[in-house]
Each structure stands twice: as structure tokens, then as C-alpha cells.
Amino acid sequence: MSSPGAERASDSRFGSSACNDEEEEAEGEVPVNSRGGEHEDCASPGSETDFREETGKDTNRVNKEWITVGLSGQQEESYSDVQDTCFIRAPKGAAGALICEVADTLSCLMVTGSEELVSRVIRVNVRDGANVHFPVTVVVPFCARYRGNYRDVAVKIVDGERRASYVTPVTTEGTYGGHRGSFAEVRVYSLGLFAVVSCLKKENYTVPTKGLLLKLHMDQRICLNYPPGCFTAPVMAQTMIQPVDAVLLAAVKSRSDAYHSVVSTSPLLCLTQPSSQPLRRPLALTLPCPPNPEKKRPTRGQEEEQDHQTRPFSASSHRRRVLGASVKSKKMSNELLIVLGSRDQQWRVLDQVPVRNQQNGLVSFELTENFDRLLVVRLLSPLQPGRLASLAEELEESVCCHAVTVVLQRRQEEPHAALVAALPSRDLGWEMSRLRARGYSGLLEAASEISMREGDQLLLRFSGNITSTGTRLTFHNQQTNRLSVRLTEVDPFGNYSSPHYKGTAVFHKVGRAVIVLNASHSVHQFLHLSSPAPPPDPLSDSLLLWLSGELSEEEVALLVLSLRLRRSAAQLVKLRAGDSLPSQAFRVLTMWRRGLPAATHQPKASQLAHCLAKSGRPDLARELLLRQAAPTRRGSPK
């Protein structure tokens, strides 16, 4: 089959690897073309003693003899010295018919949802006019940094029509072709793009008419109890669990004071059931939702010492201890448990669903209708339904986002080279020590922390008297993301007053959804995508009129300073606007807006919000951004 138009990028730690040069017969190496100038690949028939022997299931004798196809050459600047190889087992004589190459340029197009890339992307095709007998076995090395009960690995395959399929691989920890590591092996009947992805585990099951009591394998605490007669006929269902840890919840709570009463949440339960089969009897569910963590109780010796110091009589001390216990139990009993359900991407609070506390932080409730996603929230005080729905949306969005720090490092012996890395902030210290071990030194040039999703890209642009080669960096959470940049000066006679050429690195983040949208029209067009122009950011007169009515005289004076308007311009505004303060403020804002260039690197609304915050009105800054974004959410402008 022809190669798919979408490609998937891999971690830079997977450098291209050496071919297996062990020859079974006196056959020379058969070249395998590599497109795009990324790597030079080769295929050689060899004795593959490390692969498991066939079990005799194949009746076709031609499939008993195999050749090995490997990728050659080690990628520069790789953090790993291990040479990884992709192996392909095919009928003997098929080496000349296969084209095997690395396809790392479009990795962002291969990730969807909560998937994370853990391998290189390999493209395997058949030469035009050639004939290959199937099945073909493909073995891809991978390295999953984070494993657990909720995640598993799968081989994702994209064919020539850009249709994606997932195959559960035979994963092996061992040695293939002289290389030791983790390998995923699949047998396929068509070719295309191959990559190993880490994805949430899916548990498929059948609910018979007599009912089913199911404890999920990925988390035995989660239980689904379908009573007899729940469905009129046997149905197929599927569940996935997306954990919500305390760190993630704390990050979401820190963005808004409205969530201060949230104690904890359950994991996100994704439940797929046929919509044509409504629930005839209530479905009972049990989920973990930890209670408010108790403060450490003093030891017996500390209690006696405190009692001895504070109590005049032992009876009063006993009374205080009992009173403290009763207050504590009352506080625990006041916690609220709320269930939220999502259907058609819309979260809502299920007011009519009572939730019961159980032992060990478990809660249970019953459902009488189908929902795609479920979440239980534990509260210290009531929260408005709209706020709870927003909390669920933010949690659902945040589980796929990662805090990232972009750093720029250089080696003293290479003044015309730099290394740009997008590092997960949680691993910043460890990754920086690895960079120092490789000879990178000097002050840490780091941008402020940003949020990125799997497959998002950073486009690099230099300003000043420096330009560069290499402008695109794709982020993958379980991989080492770095970009080697070659620096050159724009004007060799510039910066004459300094011994250095000076410039600033500017990064533009491009979301995965935008990349996929561009690539759906033309992959080639995406490869030559220039730095995006800033989106239109009009500040309408109605928005400025609203803002003018909210400012006091002192705040207008501070805003004039923050907007860096000339004193003569401010005086001219007073003459034209008269004594009306809102009119003066409106003319100040329109004059500032008119003086801005048509396209700026920073949106006008963001600039104005920043100036409002500096003037002591961060509340107006937030309201301005919300009002500015509201028309965009309702519908795109002409």
C-alpha cells in the first residue's frame, strides 16, 4: 500500500540504528531508500536468531524464512548511546521490495486524545510493481518512562488512506539484533506508518440479561454492578479510567478562588454503552474519592504533656478531648459529595443522584441513564452547578496538558551552535544536570513555564542580528525534546560596539489541532509552513466604551503612564473631551489603539490587560479578556 500522508514523530532519544550485518547467505546488502534526507537506511537478509521461532501456525512454507530490515546511523546529539533498530520479518526475497524509512517530521499528526508517543515513527512501504507475501512482522523498539495500572502500549498503524488502527503487540524485554531494550512486535497484512503509543487501558465486557458484577482490572476499587434485567438484551460495553492526582487538582484550584472548597475528586470514568439500550434498572457504581486528609494526631505522650500543662482538672481535659472529637466528626459529616455526568461533551450536575460514603475513601451511587463520563467531587461547602461543570471541564482538559519549560543552552567550544529543549518542569533539575554532563554550561536561559499538549509544536524565530537554521520542535511528554540550532549573524558589521552578535529567540506555540487542520489539506504545505501571523485582535469601540466607564480619574492617570502616551497627547485629550471622565478615558484608549501597528507580536487585548493590572485594576484586566474572547467562542468572525 502507498505510504500514508500523515506521519508520526518520535522521541529524539531514539536515534536511528545500525543494520544487522550478520549474513545467512552470501547475499550483498540491499539498499532501502530514505526520503527527505533524514537518514540513510539499509536492508540486509540475515539470520534472526533473537526473534522467537514460529509456532507452526502458518501453513505457507514461504513464511518460514525471514529477513531483517534495520535502520542505520546514529542520530547526532542523542541523549542515549543505545542504537535502536526496527526489524521487519518478511518472506525471503522481499528485502528488495520493501522501502523502510524514519518518519519523524510529522509525529504530531499521529497522536490523538490522551495518547503519548514512546517510539520512533517508521514508514514501511512496498516498491511500485513489487509483490510481497503477507503477513509481515514488524518489531519496533520503544521506551515508556511512565507505566502504571491505567496505561498500556499499543502499536498504531496509519495506512495510505490515513485510517488509523491499533494492534495489541507482543511486548518483549530482551535482545534483538544485538540491541537490548523493550520491543513491540505485531503481525500485519498491510503496511504504512508504525509507532508505539502509550494510551489508557480499555476494558471491554459483555453485560448479559442476568446482570454482571464487574471489578475493573486496572483498579479493583472501581466496581460496576449491573442488576438482572438492566438491559433487554446482552450489550457490549467499554470502560477507561483517567486518574486525577492531587497535584493536578491543586493546579486547577490555584487558577480560581472559586474552587477553594473542593477537597478531592474521583478518577474520570469513561463509560461507553450503546445509546439504543437505555438502562431499565439502576446501575450501581463504586469509585474512590478520598476524604479530607486528617491532621496528624499527637502521640499519647504529647497528649499527656499538653493535658498536664493546660488542664486544671482531669475531668475538664477529658471534656475538651471529647468536644474536639465531636467537632472533628461533625466537620467530616458536613462534606458534600456531588456526581457530575457528561453526555455529548456537556457536563452537568446530577442533583437527583445521592452519593453514599463507604470505607477506605470509597463512594457509591446509582444511575438510571447513560453518560459518557462520570466524576465525583467532594466539597467542604456548596458550589454552584456552573462552577462544578467548569471544574470538570478544566480537569478533563488539564489531564492532557503538561507544564513545560523551554531552555536554551550552549557549549563554549561551539559559539555558532545552541541547543533548545522543551523540558517537563517536574524534571527540569534532572534534565539540566544531564545537559551539564554533556558539556553545556553557562547561565540557564529559560522561558517562563507554559502549558503544552502531546504533539504541540514550538516554532522558533530569532530577532536582532542573529538568524538560525532549524525552527521546529515537537513536544512529546515521554521523550527528550530538543532541537540543535545553527546560529549565523544577519549583518557581520552589526553590533560594532559589542564583541558579540545579539539576538532574541522568540517561540510561537502551535496547537496540535491547528497542525492537523493544515495537514489535512496538504502535508507538503505543512512542512513548509512559515511562522504564523498574529490572529486578528480587534478592540471594538463598545469594549473600550465599557472600560472607560469603569475607571476613576486616578486610574486613568496611571493608565496613561502604563500605555506610555506622551504628555502632550494627554493634554490634547483633555482639551477635546472636556470634563467628562469617561469621554477622556475613551479618547485615551482610542488614541493608544490607533498608534499601534496593524500586526503586533502581542495581542492588543493582552497589552491593555497588562497595563490595567499595572494600574491596580487586575479585575478589569480579567473582565476585558473575557469580554474580548466571548465573540470568538460564540462564532468565528468574518
Side-chain angles (χ1 to χ4, degrees):
M1 299 186 62
S2 60
S3 65
E7 299 183 9
R8 183 163 179 160
S10 79
D11 186 349
S12 56
R13 74 167 46 233
F14 287 104
S16 69
S17 2
C19 298
N20 187 343
D21 294 328
E22 300 175 3
E23 296 188 357
E24 183 179 15
E25 298 178 6
E27 297 181 31
E29 292 189 356
V30 182
V32 178
N33 294 338
S34 173
R35 303 176 190 170
E38 290 180 349
H39 301 273
E40 293 179 358
D41 305 336
C42 65
S44 60
S47 61
E48 188 48 56
T49 56
D50 294 318
F51 289 113
R52 290 179 297 280
E53 296 295 333
E54 291 298 308
T55 59
K57 294 181 181 179
D58 293 328
T59 57
N60 191 352
R61 186 177 179 182
V62 73
N63 288 334
K64 297 295 184 180
E65 300 178 277
W66 304 92
I67 57 96
T68 301
V69 177
L71 307 172
S72 67
Q74 186 175 2
Q75 190 175 2
E76 295 181 0
E77 297 289 346
S78 175
Y79 284 136
S80 174
D81 295 330
V82 179
Q83 292 182 331
D84 301 285
T85 306
C86 170
F87 296 99
I88 300 174
R89 285 192 288 178
K92 191 172 182 179
L98 294 176
I99 301 174
C100 182
E101 59 188 345
V102 176
D104 284 347
T105 52
L106 297 178
S107 61
C108 50
L109 303 181
M110 294 283 288
V111 236
T112 57
S114 59
E115 296 171 359
E116 296 181 354
L117 182 68
V118 294
S119 79
R120 303 209 72 165
V121 180
I122 307 300
R123 179 165 52 202
V124 183
N125 291 318
V126 180
R127 295 182 184 276
D128 294 338
N131 186 24
V132 174
H133 295 281
F134 287 97
V136 171
T137 300
V138 179
V139 181
V140 183
F142 69 95
C143 181
R145 294 183 182 178
Y146 311 107
R147 301 190 190 184
N149 294 334
Y150 300 103
R151 282 194 168 266
D152 206 349
V153 294
V155 175
K156 188 173 184 178
I157 306 170
V158 178
D159 63 13
E161 302 297 326
R162 299 191 61 187
R163 293 171 299 194
S165 58
Y166 298 83
V167 180
T168 302
V170 178
T171 56
T172 305
E173 297 283 343
T175 303
Y176 280 77
H179 304 285
R180 185 167 185 81
S182 301
F183 298 87
E185 176 181 336
V186 291
R187 298 182 67 190
V188 295
Y189 290 83
S190 62
L191 302 177
L193 283 175
F194 294 82
V196 184
V197 296
S198 172
C199 51
L200 293 177
K201 287 183 179 179
K202 299 177 181 179
E203 186 160 343
N204 301 307
Y205 55 94
T206 302
V207 182
T209 54
K210 65 180 181 180
L212 175 68
L213 177 61
L214 176 67
K215 288 189 175 182
L216 300 186
H217 291 97
M218 61 273 279
D219 193 337
Q220 293 286 325
R221 300 173 300 172
I222 300 176
C223 178
L224 288 80
N225 187 3
Y226 294 88
C230 190
F231 297 107
T232 57
V235 300
M236 294 290 295
Q238 182 187 84
T239 58
M240 291 191 304
I241 302 297
Q242 174 65 68
V244 180
D245 56 28
V247 176
L248 177 65
L249 178 61
V252 173
K253 290 174 61 176
S254 66
R255 298 177 202 149
S256 175
D257 295 336
Y259 302 142
H260 73 278
S261 64
V262 178
V263 175
S264 62
T265 70
S266 70
L268 277 166
L269 173 63
C270 305
L271 183 59
T272 303
Q273 296 176 158
S275 58
S276 59
Q277 289 278 354
L279 291 170
R280 298 176 61 88
R281 297 188 63 187
L283 163 63
L285 296 100
T286 303
L287 295 174
C289 187
N292 194 21
E294 300 182 18
K295 296 181 180 179
K296 293 183 178 180
R297 297 180 179 178
T299 61
R300 183 176 181 180
Q302 290 174 336
E303 284 184 347
E304 292 176 355
E305 183 179 355
Q306 291 174 2
D307 290 343
H308 178 73
Q309 292 176 356
T310 59
R311 61 183 168 91
F313 304 102
S314 60
S316 63
S317 171
H318 175 72
R319 210 163 34 243
R320 271 197 302 275
R321 284 200 299 270
V322 173
L323 181 62
S326 64
V327 170
K328 188 172 190 179
S329 61
K330 183 179 180 182
K331 182 178 180 182
M332 293 293 291
S333 64
N334 285 339
E335 289 182 357
L336 304 175
L337 289 168
I338 305 296
V339 182
L340 293 99
S342 173
R343 184 188 297 138
D344 299 328
Q345 306 298 322
Q346 294 291 329
W347 284 95
R348 66 184 179 93
V349 177
L350 308 183
D351 296 322
Q352 306 302 321
V353 177
V355 187
R356 295 177 294 275
N357 262 315
Q358 295 185 357
Q359 294 180 349
N360 302 323
L362 299 179
V363 297
S364 62
F365 57 96
E366 293 183 345
L367 288 180
T368 56
E369 50 183 325
N370 291 329
F371 288 95
D372 302 328
R373 285 171 171 78
L374 294 166
L375 179 72
V376 180
V377 181
R378 189 183 292 270
L379 302 171
L380 290 176
S381 59
L383 204 59
Q384 295 179 355
R387 293 289 188 184
L388 286 169
S390 299
L391 173 67
E393 291 174 359
E394 290 194 41
L395 287 174
E396 195 174 23
E397 179 72 18
S398 298
V399 291
C400 297
C401 295
H402 308 278
V404 177
T405 302
V406 182
V407 301
L408 188 147
Q409 288 284 280
R410 299 171 65 190
R411 289 192 180 108
Q412 290 185 353
E413 63 272 15
E414 295 178 336
H416 285 82
L419 181 74
V420 177
L423 307 174
S425 299
R426 64 178 182 274
D427 301 332
L428 183 60
W430 181 65
E431 292 286 355
M432 290 307 302
S433 64
R434 294 180 65 187
L435 287 175
R436 285 192 290 270
R438 295 181 59 84
Y440 291 95
S441 59
L443 295 176
L444 173 62
E445 294 287 344
S448 58
E449 189 176 271
I450 60 175
S451 176
M452 297 191 71
R453 296 171 64 97
E454 181 80 6
D456 286 353
Q457 287 193 346
L458 291 174
L459 304 184
L460 170 63
R461 181 184 60 83
F462 273 89
S463 63
N465 199 19
I466 290 179
T467 186
S468 68
T469 59
T471 60
R472 193 180 304 275
L473 177 64
T474 306
F475 173 77
H476 293 288
N477 181 47
Q478 297 202 41
Q479 299 181 358
T480 303
N481 312 288
R482 88 286 182 277
L483 176 68
S484 296
V485 178
R486 195 72 187 170
L487 305 175
T488 56
E489 66 277 2
V490 177
D491 181 8
F493 300 101
N495 303 114
Y496 59 88
S497 61
S498 172
H500 308 287
Y501 296 111
K502 299 179 180 179
T504 302
V506 181
F507 292 89
H508 299 271
K509 188 178 81 169
V510 182
R512 184 177 66 193
V514 178
I515 300 170
V516 173
L517 181 63
N518 282 279
S520 63
H521 299 294
S522 170
V523 173
H524 179 77
Q525 179 184 5
F526 170 74
L527 288 173
H528 295 85
L529 180 68
S530 59
S531 297
D537 181 45
L539 276 173
S540 63
D541 287 347
S542 60
L543 196 60
L544 296 183
L545 279 171
W546 161 79
L547 183 59
S548 302
E550 300 291 328
L551 296 170
S552 66
E553 185 176 0
E554 182 181 359
E555 290 166 351
V556 172
L558 292 174
L559 187 60
V560 168
L561 295 176
S562 299
L563 296 176
R564 297 185 178 182
L565 293 177
R566 295 181 180 180
R567 183 180 299 177
S568 58
Q571 292 174 350
L572 182 62
V573 164
K574 269 197 170 185
L575 289 174
R576 292 181 177 178
D579 296 332
S580 173
L581 182 62
S583 180
Q584 290 179 12
F586 178 75
R587 286 185 177 272
V588 165
L589 294 172
T590 53
M591 181 179 293
W592 166 79
R593 182 185 61 182
R594 190 166 54 249
L596 291 177
T600 58
H601 299 308
Q602 186 180 6
K604 299 181 182 67
S606 298
Q607 293 185 52
L608 183 54
H610 178 68
C611 294
L612 286 169
K614 287 177 62 179
S615 304
R617 292 302 301 269
D619 56 330
L620 286 181
R622 287 192 294 268
E623 183 67 15
L624 173 71
L625 295 177
L626 288 174
R627 289 173 177 255
Q628 165 74 10
T632 306
R633 289 197 297 265
R634 286 195 298 266
S636 58
K638 293 184 180 179

